[in-house]
Amino acid sequence: MTTRTTRGILDRLKSNNIVMGAEGYVFELERRGYIKAGPFVPEVVLDFPDAVKELHREFLRAGSEVMVALTYYAHREKLKDVGRENDLERMNRQAVRLANEIASEGDALVAGNICNTWAYDPNNATETAKIVRAMYEEQLGWAVEEGIDFVISETNDYLGEALIGLEVTKKLNLPAMVTLATVQDNQTRDGYDYIEACKILADHGADIVGLNCDRGPETMLPLIEKVRNAVSCYVAAQPVPYRTSAQNPTFESLEIANGQRAFPIALEQFLLNRFEMADFARRASNIGVNYIGVCCGGASHYVRAMAEALGRTAPASKYSPAMELHPMLGTQVEEKDKVFLQDWK
Ligand SMILES: [Zn+2]
């Protein structure tokens, strides 16, 4: 087990009020050719560990304070889909080891990661809860042995399932961050208003509650503001960097030409730029969000812009834009170029 000397997540939140996170590992490694879209199982952890380490390192250099172990969908149900259930333990342990290895290159924390299992059924809650609990217990049991600082339970579609993850985390005496998916308009798939669900999670001892994935900043921020007003614990927001709107509130609902679905692998035309994600970080901070990051679609240039928007200097800030040195833009400043030349930090 790794013994860390850095301060834990709760200490950091208490003294700095904001912790920077970064996710979107599965999407980014799929784009790079290391994960198969469809099942989205992180086989890359065993097959190309250097690719995982490189992405951790990019996020670390960009200012993320948390290396999230790539155990998203590394659970029994999903591994069955790709015929790798025998690799379950090896994959989970290795993911936490890789996160630790890179976290130690900086002052970063390691988060164990569990997510929606697709095994939970609110109509058969007693039976399916047992299956889900066993899956979380084995994943987090291995993670604790390899060394984690806290647990992120994320993209929870059901409050019932989120509460199981929270309970398993608390039994391990670890700080718990629990975030909900928001695919539906107002409520979880088991019928709880998103705000109410966050409040229930907080009442059950979650240290950090909030939302991740599915929504871009425009459609996540109004919800997260309500969460902020409803709970007294820390709040997390990790949106996708896509241009969602009132009409298309989630990235699952975005459409390319002819009404075809853009999700999950034809989303490029909806990507936000780094300035827009920097703006998200500022707005989230103003609302009082404490854990600020990015989810699917995320990449290190966003994370650096967000960290700098929050007044931070990341290792990768050494190479932040200096457009005044650009051979064309730097000498002939036109009105339309000012966005690149302003001091947007
Ligand atoms: Zn996501």
Side-chain angles (χ1 to χ4, degrees):
M1 181 158 171
T2 309
T3 310
R4 212 172 307 282
T5 51
T6 53
R7 290 172 309 138
I9 181 85
L10 299 180
D11 280 350
R12 287 175 190 229
L13 285 167
K14 201 170 168 193
S15 54
N16 297 347
N17 206 34
I18 289 177
V19 164
M20 274 290 301
E23 296 190 39
Y25 285 92
V26 170
F27 256 49
E28 180 61 15
L29 288 166
E30 190 278 333
R31 287 189 290 216
R32 294 181 187 190
Y34 295 109
I35 283 181
K36 186 183 281 291
F40 286 115
V41 174
E43 299 172 79
V44 59
V45 165
L46 292 176
D47 298 349
F48 293 95
D50 284 347
V52 179
K53 287 203 280 185
E54 173 57 25
L55 187 51
H56 278 312
R57 188 175 290 121
E58 286 176 26
F59 284 153
L60 179 74
R61 295 189 64 257
S64 176
E65 297 174 71
V66 179
M67 298 293 102
V68 182
L70 184 46
T71 55
Y72 193 93
Y73 278 172
H75 56 58
R76 213 165 264 283
E77 290 286 314
K78 273 283 176 182
L79 286 182
K80 257 190 242 163
D81 291 350
V82 291
R84 292 194 77 155
E85 58 267 48
N86 292 335
D87 287 330
L88 184 67
E89 179 172 352
R90 227 158 50 89
M91 199 180 286
N92 275 272
R93 287 189 183 277
Q94 171 95 322
V96 181
R97 273 182 218 143
L98 299 177
N100 268 293
E101 190 180 327
I102 306 304
S104 67
E105 291 180 4
D107 186 31
L109 302 170
V110 173
N113 186 229
I114 52 175
C115 63
N116 54 321
T117 64
W118 302 105
Y120 184 77
D121 177 2
N123 297 317
N124 187 14
T126 316
E127 281 310 304
T128 52
K130 280 184 206 158
I131 298 167
V132 172
R133 181 171 287 109
M135 285 162 67
Y136 288 158
E137 281 173 351
E138 68 182 354
Q139 275 194 289
L140 291 181
W142 295 320
V144 166
E145 283 178 20
E146 298 297 336
I148 53 172
D149 297 286
F150 70 109
V151 173
I152 297 178
S153 159
E154 63 181 359
T155 48
N156 284 288
D157 292 308
Y158 299 98
L159 174 65
E161 191 171 39
L163 285 167
I164 300 168
L166 173 59
E167 196 188 311
V168 173
T169 303
K170 291 272 100 178
K171 269 198 187 139
L172 292 166
N173 290 319
L174 287 168
M177 170 165 146
V178 187
T179 51
L180 302 173
T182 47
V183 184
Q184 310 204 111
D185 283 347
N186 302 309
Q187 48 181 227
T188 63
R189 289 191 194 276
D190 45 356
Y192 293 87
D193 176 87
Y194 290 131
I195 317 306
E196 181 62 19
C198 284
K199 198 170 175 310
I200 293 171
L201 287 162
D203 291 345
H204 279 74
D207 301 282
I208 309 165
V209 299
L211 310 174
N212 82 289
C213 213
D214 300 309
R215 291 173 188 247
E218 280 313 307
T219 49
M220 183 178 280
L221 281 167
L223 277 179
I224 211 73
E225 187 164 16
K226 289 183 189 163
V227 173
R228 173 67 288 171
N229 293 333
V231 301
S232 54
C233 67
Y234 297 114
V235 170
Q238 300 206 87
V240 295
Y242 294 104
R243 205 174 307 284
T244 58
S245 61
Q247 204 182 359
N248 299 97
T250 65
F251 70 163
E252 289 92 344
S253 66
L254 292 171
E255 292 173 355
I256 52 179
N258 309 321
Q260 287 179 308
R261 192 194 281 275
F263 176 83
I265 48 174
L267 284 160
E268 279 83 353
Q269 74 199 68
F270 301 103
L271 276 170
L272 299 175
N273 65 41
R274 64 183 78 186
F275 304 100
E276 291 167 310
M277 286 307 288
D279 190 48
F280 156 72
R282 266 185 230 107
R283 288 158 73 192
S285 162
N286 289 341
I287 287 172
V289 176
N290 311 99
Y291 190 101
I292 299 177
V294 63
C295 204
C296 301
S300 54
H301 68 301
Y302 291 127
V303 180
R304 181 179 63 188
M306 291 162 67
E308 291 176 349
L310 296 174
R312 300 174 178 206
T313 303
S317 294
K318 179 179 178 189
Y319 304 108
S320 286
M323 296 308 285
E324 68 279 11
L325 300 178
H326 188 281
M328 260 161 46
L329 301 179
T331 48
Q332 281 183 307
V333 183
E334 294 181 46
E335 196 58 35
K336 65 183 176 186
D337 295 326
K338 280 196 171 156
V339 65
F340 299 125
L341 292 166
Q342 67 184 315
D343 183 13
W344 52 278
K345 290 172 194 174

